[in-house]
């Protein structure tokens, strides 16, 4: 197909002008060719931007016209600023009492502190300094022993256990429930590590190999339960071309890594309707990492990467998480687990950086052992 | 309850670019912004600019599926204007003391992030379109913005047939996309 025809077809495809048959044929082409698929996604994004641009131009035009009409009809006129006294004077007269009180408190406080300091300083004498240096000696002596202890505290993996798999995960309930991929948990036991590097014991509650989702629960006295989770689990299917980002632990050093991309198809590998195809640089450790849309809603869980195409990955849809939670309720053994999925997104804040700073507190590196 | 219904109807009108709704918004709220800006180191023209920006922000907000306005239109417009004006004062190095204001305002940090992002995307598209030159700019605007047909555009721009116009449009589009995407960063 020539480029110009291809583009025409893409535009028709996106605007829904193709017949059902043509559409199905084109879907097949998209699945076969990652290049064409990417063109579709890119063009959709571009057309959306054009649409927004056109709309803004129109509303600006309307607004300007309405304003000049009203102005011509004498609706408003520039007014002189009301004769307000100088701001500093205004503030002074308003707050002078407060300032006076604050100042006198300040004075008292200054005198008070210097008295305390004078009174206490002499007691900071030679003997204390001596004690300190003694303490240093003790520390020196114990250094080896301590080093050993530190190592022991560091890991919560049982002594003879062997780490066999790992990935990423994220909280879905403040009580400590974490979602990850089933294939991340190849062993019988698991620990999770938060973004500060703290290890926590976890128990595998549920694993669904078909959908590649698993549920863990943190069971550790060191776990600090957060008040709320800042992302809602999206209950609807997301749009093609939607911008997405992820946070995961793809590296061995447990450092959290940010990645961004876009949703490139509403179905996954070979048309699997329970997952999305996404365009993102996904490394192995990203398995189980959440996918957020630009509003900060959770829309999926990264699952597998297509071996051949660089940057193409798949993500289990967020609706499957809801299915997992419902499945738990229906099962005799697990029906008492009361998971409350977060319903509100509060992280769609002003900039991505502060959003990530907040989100990373809910992300975990997952390790499984035997 | 009735006031609430009126506000909803007004927002619906705004979403459809209805000039009656836009007029009502100007008539009901512009004076408030005018007072605020003029009492805080600004001019009538500044007030006009700030109000227009706030109206566009509100317009783009009502376009969203997930749109909810959790306060009165008045409060929302004032909050946006306040934020914008504060920012402009800071840019001019004029901002020194707390603003004098009589209106209630809400925190719109979240919205401002999205507004700034949209402003940036708009500016990129605007720059890209304007650096295309003619006839590309008008041709693409005719097709994508004003939704004219190829036949109509062909006669307007003096092409012998719709296919020629289509070819030209394709070349222009490729240039525009290139200009746009070199500046527009997906996901940021």
């Amino acid at each position: 197909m020539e480029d110009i025809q291809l583009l025409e077809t893409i535009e028709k495809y996106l605007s829904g002008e193709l017949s059902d048959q043509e559409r199905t044929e084109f879907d097949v082409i998209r699945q076969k060719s990652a290049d064409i698929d990417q063109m579709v996604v890119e063009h959709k994004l571009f057309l959306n931007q054009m649409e927004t641009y056109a709309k803004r131009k129109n509303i600006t035009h309307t607004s300007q016209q309405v304003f000049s009409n009203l102005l011509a009809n004498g609706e408003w006129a520039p007014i002189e600023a009301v004769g307000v006294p100088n701001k500093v004077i205004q503030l002074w007269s308003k707050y002078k009492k407060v300032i006076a009180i604050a100042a006198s408190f300040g004075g008292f406080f200054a005198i008070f502190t210097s008295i305390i300091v004078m009174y206490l300083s002499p007691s900071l004498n030679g003997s204390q300094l001596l004690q300190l240096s003694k303490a240093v000696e003790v520390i020196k002596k114990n250094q080896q022993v301590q080093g050993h202890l530190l190592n022991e505290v560091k890991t919560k993996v049982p002594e003879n256990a062997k780490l066999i798999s790992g990935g990423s995960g994220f909280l879905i309930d403040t009580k400590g429930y974490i979602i990850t991929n089933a294939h991340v948990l190849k062993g019988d036991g698991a620990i999770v590590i938060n973004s500060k590097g703290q290890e926590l014991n976890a128990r595998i509650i549920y694993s669904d190999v078909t959908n590649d989702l698993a549920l863990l629960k943190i069971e550790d006295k060191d776990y600090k339960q957060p008040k709320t989770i800042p992302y809602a689990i999206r209950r609807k299917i997301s749009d093609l071309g939607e911008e997405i980002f992820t946070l995961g632990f793809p590296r061995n050093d447990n450092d959290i890594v940010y990645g961004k991309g876009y949703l490139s198809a509403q179905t996954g590998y070979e048309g699997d309707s329970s997952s999305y195809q996404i365009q993102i640089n996904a490394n192995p450790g990203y398995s189980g990492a959440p996918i957020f849309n630009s509003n900060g809603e959770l829309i999926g869980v990264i699952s597998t990467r297509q071996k051949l195409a660089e940057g193409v990955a798949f993500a289990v849809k967020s609706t499957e998480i809801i299915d997992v939670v419902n499945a738990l309720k229906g099962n005799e053994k697990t029906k008492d687990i009361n998971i409350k999925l977060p319903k509100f997104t509060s992280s769609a804040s002003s900039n991505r950086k502060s959003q990530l700073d907040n989100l990373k507190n809910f992300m975990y590196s997952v390790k499984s052992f035997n | 309850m009735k006031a609430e219904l009126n506000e909803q109807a007004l927002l619906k009108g705004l979403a459809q670019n209805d000039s009656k709704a836009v007029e009502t918004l100007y008539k009901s709220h512009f004076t408030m912004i005018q007072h605020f800006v003029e009492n805080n180191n600004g001019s009538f023209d500044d007030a006009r600019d700030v109000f227009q920006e706030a109206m566009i922000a509100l317009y783009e907000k009502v376009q969203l599926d997930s749109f909810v306005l959790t306060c009165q239109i008045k409060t929302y417009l004032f909050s946006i204007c306040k934020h914008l004006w504060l920012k402009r004062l800071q840019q001019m190095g004029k901002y020194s003391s707390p603003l004098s204001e009589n209106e209630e305002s809400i925190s719109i940090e979240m919205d401002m992030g999205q507004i700034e992002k949209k402003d940036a995307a708009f500016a990129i598209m605007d720059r890209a379109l304007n650096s295309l030159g003619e006839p590309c700019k008008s041709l693409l605007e005719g097709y994508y913005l004003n939704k004219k047909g190829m036949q109509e555009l062909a006669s307007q721009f003096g092409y012998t047939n719709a296919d020629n116009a289509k070819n030209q449009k394709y070349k222009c589009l490729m240039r525009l996309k290139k200009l746009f995407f070199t500046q527009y960063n997906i996901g940021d």
Side-chain angles (χ1 to χ4, degrees):
Chain A
M1 229 188 306
E2 255 191 83
D3 283 352
I4 182 162
Q5 280 170 316
L6 177 61
L7 191 91
E8 210 183 334
T9 316
I10 292 177
E11 288 198 337
K12 281 187 179 158
Y13 174 79
L14 290 173
S15 63
E17 286 171 60
L18 292 185
S19 70
D20 282 352
Q21 200 202 335
E22 287 170 323
R23 202 181 163 76
T24 327
E25 280 169 16
F26 194 73
D27 276 330
V28 174
I29 296 175
R30 279 190 68 189
Q31 267 173 24
K32 277 189 191 149
S33 159
D35 283 349
I36 291 180
D37 185 58
Q38 180 152 359
M39 276 177 77
V40 174
V41 175
E42 191 197 76
H43 202 65
K44 163 129 186 172
L45 183 73
F46 178 79
L47 289 181
N48 282 346
Q49 288 294 340
M50 282 285 258
E51 185 73 26
T52 317
Y53 178 83
K55 279 185 166 172
R56 186 188 274 216
K57 279 234 145 184
N58 291 337
I59 188 77
T60 310
H61 182 74
T62 312
S63 157
Q64 277 164 353
Q65 202 133 50
V66 167
F67 185 83
S68 35
N69 285 345
L70 287 171
L71 198 62
N73 292 338
E75 185 77 24
W76 314 288
I79 46 163
E80 288 297 314
V82 203
V84 271
N86 184 307
K87 190 104 278 157
V88 177
I89 298 175
Q90 217 184 358
L91 282 175
W92 170 248
S93 56
K94 195 171 170 188
Y95 293 116
K96 59 186 170 194
K97 265 191 191 159
V98 182
I99 293 169
I101 294 168
S104 51
F105 263 113
F108 276 128
F109 187 69
I111 295 165
F112 186 66
T113 11
S114 37
I115 291 172
I116 298 248
V117 169
M118 275 199 301
Y119 184 72
L120 290 179
S121 325
S123 71
L124 194 85
N125 53 23
S127 78
Q128 260 189 6
L129 291 172
L130 213 75
Q131 276 176 359
L132 272 172
S133 62
K134 257 188 201 165
V136 172
E137 266 181 31
V138 175
I139 289 169
K140 262 188 195 161
K141 273 184 199 161
N142 289 346
Q143 217 168 28
Q144 275 189 319
V145 185
Q146 288 223 337
H148 184 66
L149 273 176
L150 279 174
N151 278 341
E152 247 174 51
V153 171
K154 208 179 156 199
T155 181
K156 287 184 175 169
V157 179
E159 210 165 319
N160 295 319
K162 218 176 133 194
L163 286 178
I164 50 172
S165 59
S168 308
F170 56 92
L171 273 191
I172 57 158
D173 185 306
T174 53
K175 291 191 284 292
Y177 290 101
I178 289 177
I179 286 277
T180 184
N181 282 150
H183 82 260
V184 164
L185 304 171
K186 292 205 175 85
D188 305 323
I191 54 155
V192 297
I193 305 157
N194 66 18
S195 63
K196 294 186 192 84
Q198 184 187 24
E199 289 189 354
L200 299 163
N201 288 313
R203 184 162 61 93
I204 302 172
I205 304 247
Y206 176 87
S207 178
D208 175 353
V209 183
T210 348
N211 280 322
D212 201 15
L213 284 180
L215 185 71
L216 290 168
K217 179 161 199 272
I218 301 177
E219 292 186 338
D220 198 307
K221 60 177 173 28
D222 294 336
Y223 172 63
K224 285 197 193 79
Q225 201 168 319
K227 274 193 192 121
T228 51
I229 290 175
Y231 41 83
I233 313 288
R234 190 172 163 89
R235 283 160 193 274
K236 285 193 220 149
I237 302 302
S238 290
D239 283 336
L240 199 64
E242 203 170 319
E243 294 166 10
I244 53 168
F245 68 94
T246 185
L247 277 172
F249 298 85
R251 295 168 18 188
N252 287 328
D253 51 10
N254 291 330
D255 268 351
I256 196 157
V257 174
Y258 163 66
K260 62 182 179 178
Y262 50 82
L263 203 144
S264 53
Q266 283 173 326
T267 54
Y269 190 58
E270 292 181 331
D272 172 17
S273 66
S274 70
S275 58
Y276 296 118
Q277 183 183 319
I278 53 176
Q279 192 81 22
I280 206 161
N281 280 326
N283 296 309
Y286 265 133
S287 279
I291 299 278
F292 298 102
N293 65 15
S294 56
N295 294 330
E297 279 178 305
L298 192 136
I299 66 162
V301 186
I302 294 190
S303 165
T304 45
R305 191 180 73 166
Q306 203 172 349
K307 284 202 177 89
L308 296 171
E310 189 63 35
V312 173
F314 297 101
V316 182
K317 289 177 183 169
S318 52
T319 46
E320 301 295 320
I321 298 178
I322 296 163
D323 288 352
V324 164
V325 171
N326 289 339
L328 291 175
K329 280 184 194 141
N331 187 316
E332 192 56 35
K333 271 191 209 157
T334 52
K335 69 175 172 22
D336 293 331
I337 299 173
N338 182 20
I339 293 183
K340 286 199 181 75
L341 290 175
K343 285 207 176 70
F344 301 102
T345 300
S346 57
S347 75
S349 66
S350 47
N351 65 55
R352 187 55 57 81
K353 197 182 160 295
S354 56
Q355 188 179 19
L356 295 178
D357 271 349
N358 181 13
L359 286 177
K360 72 177 188 205
N361 298 323
F362 304 86
M363 304 295 128
Y364 290 85
S365 170
V366 179
K367 297 221 153 85
S368 181
F369 54 81
N370 253 339
Chain B
M1 201 52 212
K2 188 155 179 283
E4 216 168 277
L5 280 176
N6 282 342
E7 294 238 303
Q8 287 302 331
L10 203 54
L11 289 173
K12 219 173 151 190
L14 177 67
Q16 289 156 357
N17 194 359
D18 168 27
S19 61
K20 266 273 165 278
V22 174
E23 191 181 306
T24 312
L25 287 174
Y26 267 115
K27 278 186 170 168
S28 337
H29 306 302
F30 181 70
T31 315
M32 160 182 81
I33 303 305
Q34 188 193 355
H35 280 278
F36 168 73
V37 172
E38 289 184 2
N39 280 329
N40 289 290
N41 270 326
S43 67
F44 183 76
D45 286 349
D46 290 330
R48 181 197 61 201
D49 292 348
V50 164
F51 190 85
Q52 179 156 314
E53 274 183 59
M55 187 125 79
I56 291 169
L58 182 62
Y59 168 81
E60 279 175 351
K61 195 176 164 72
V62 291
Q63 302 284 317
L64 298 174
D65 295 337
S66 56
F67 167 72
V68 251
L69 194 61
T70 47
C71 61
Q72 284 189 317
I73 294 178
K74 179 183 171 180
T75 313
Y76 189 77
L77 283 176
F78 182 75
S79 309
I80 298 267
C81 286
K82 186 178 134 191
H83 190 104
L84 290 171
W85 184 238
L86 209 76
K87 212 173 139 190
R88 204 154 303 168
L89 282 177
Q90 276 166 344
Q91 278 164 357
M92 295 188 295
K94 279 189 188 166
Y95 174 61
S96 51
S97 53
L99 296 178
S100 101
E101 52 178 294
N102 308 314
E103 302 296 334
E104 189 191 341
S105 63
I106 52 159
S107 165
I108 41 143
E109 279 294 307
M110 291 194 190
D111 284 16
M112 282 322 293
Q114 292 184 348
I115 291 169
E116 277 161 21
K117 211 172 130 185
K118 285 200 162 128
D119 283 351
F122 180 84
I124 291 170
M125 186 63 89
D126 204 46
R127 265 204 307 275
L129 263 171
N130 282 316
S131 53
L132 270 184
E134 294 298 351
C136 270
K137 180 172 181 268
S138 304
L139 189 60
L140 290 180
E141 281 182 348
Y143 187 79
Y144 288 103
L145 271 49
N146 306 324
K147 316 273 180 215
K148 289 184 184 166
M150 266 301 148
Q151 198 62 53
E152 193 186 346
L153 288 169
S155 57
Q156 187 189 332
F157 288 89
Y159 294 107
T160 42
N161 57 45
D163 269 347
N164 282 344
K166 210 184 268 178
N167 270 322
Q168 187 61 39
K169 185 215 105 186
Y170 176 76
K171 283 181 198 155
C172 295
L173 181 66
M174 286 300 118
R175 277 181 55 210
L176 179 65
K177 279 180 82 168
K178 203 176 161 199
L179 283 166
F180 179 77
F181 278 111
T182 46
Q183 302 226 6
Y184 183 81
N185 198 353
I186 291 168
D188 239 357

